[in-house]
Amino acid sequence: MSFLKAFLLKAWVLFVYVFLFSPILTVIFMSFVSSKYSTFPLGGMTFKWYKMASMDQNIVSAFKTSLMISITATVFATGIGMLAALGIVRGRFRGKEILNATFLSPMIIPEIITGIALLSFATILHMEGGTLLIVIAHILIGLPFVLTIVSARLYGFDRSLEEAAMDLGANEVTTFRRVTFPLILPGIIGGALLAFTVSFDNFMITYLLAGPGVTTIPIQIYSMVRFEITPKIHAVSTFIVLISMSLIFIYGRVNRKK
């Protein structure tokens, strides 16, 4: 009976993995098909769609825009999230739970609501849609991930290490730089990678806040899909998937070393 339960559990896990990853694997496989249309039986295999995507100036420009926005938003979200985590975990003040819930709210509130709220706020301040507004929005949606991961790292932190450093003559700045920061660095890197991924892949909020002339890679893919689904779109999508997988791999290596 136990063997049957173990077999059914493994079969169910396999089914879940196939259900989750089969669409992604299909997109990756279709990016190498020589036929322009995703039909069966499939034709030969080729890399020409990747070459065409790399030569498409609209795709290249959208990729550069997404990269610039994501890096900027990640830097600010990581800095603010790390300081917020230190204040919330280590601080003793009233309303700490409310402040923590406020920081985490963008993770819970639907993106369409967040986008409309930011759009209304920008209208009040007479701000036009564009790169600056998108960066602010991406900082907002990336902040909860940094705060959550860094806070978890701080809650499992051995405070006796800081006390030992101070007993040996280190001041608070030196203790943070030589003891606290290196130990929470994996959490900071993990939060930064998640914030970058969320920013780079975001479509809904970016689409609502993008002004004329601002096109990120998700918006570019959406505009291409509206007319025709070709393997060139699959090639761009595969490249985005590879970026996300690479970031996860990097975080795993860094976390393992630490």
Side-chain angles (χ1 to χ4, degrees), residues 100-162:
N100 186 42
T102 302
F103 276 114
L104 297 179
S105 60
M107 188 183 295
I108 303 171
I109 299 175
E111 288 190 354
I112 184 67
I113 303 300
T114 304
I116 293 174
L118 288 170
L119 195 61
S120 301
F121 181 74
T123 303
I124 295 174
L125 296 180
H126 302 287
M127 291 179 60
E128 297 182 355
T131 304
L132 177 60
L133 195 58
I134 295 175
V135 169
I136 294 173
H138 286 197
I139 293 172
L140 188 64
I141 62 177
L143 184 58
F145 294 94
V146 179
L147 176 62
T148 302
I149 297 178
V150 177
S151 296
R153 196 80 181 181
L154 286 170
Y155 278 121
F157 187 85
D158 188 1
R159 297 294 299 274
S160 62
L161 298 175
E162 294 177 328

